[in-house]
Amino acid sequence: MALELLGVALWLVLAVAGAWLLVTGRDTFFGLPPGVNDVRIRRLFGLFCVLAAAFFIFRISQGSLGLWPVIGLYGGLAFSAVLGWWKARDARV
């Protein structure tokens, strides 16, 4: 039970940071690389953080930590890698 509450608390931190990015578009102290200045990218990243945190909190509350959270985490890692590659490609042009 305590492990589930710890997991929910950690995902709530991500959800609050994502909501901050989604609503304000301002930079936070973690999350995106320092060179990302586009507000649309920040808000998209904030939306992704909120949706990911909501998904994992929902899964933890159901008591089922199966294959989908792992797939979601790897999907998030792939999204961040593509975002980093996209920004690096734009910086070279």
Side-chain angles (χ1 to χ4, degrees), residues 4 7 18 31 34-35 41-43 48 51 53 57 64 72 75 78 84-85 87-88 90 92:
E4 287 86 5
I41 298 294
R42 288 184 194 164
R43 288 191 173 159
F48 177 75
L51 291 177
I57 288 171
S64 60
W85 170 77
K87 286 308 213 178
D90 285 345
R92 278 187 256 136

Side-chain angles (χ1 to χ4, degrees), residues 1-65:
M1 179 69 178
L3 187 61
E4 287 86 5
L5 288 176
L6 178 66
V8 169
L10 292 174
W11 284 112
L12 280 175
V13 170
L14 181 68
V16 168
W20 173 261
L21 276 174
L22 183 62
V23 172
T24 64
R26 295 183 184 172
D27 197 14
T28 57
F29 52 91
F30 67 93
L32 290 174
V36 178
N37 294 327
D38 190 10
V39 174
R40 292 175 292 173
I41 298 294
R42 288 184 194 164
R43 288 191 173 159
L44 181 66
F45 186 73
L47 177 65
F48 177 75
C49 288
V50 169
L51 291 177
F55 174 75
F56 290 118
I57 288 171
F58 178 70
R59 296 295 289 184
I60 289 171
S61 69
Q62 284 184 336
S64 60
L65 293 172

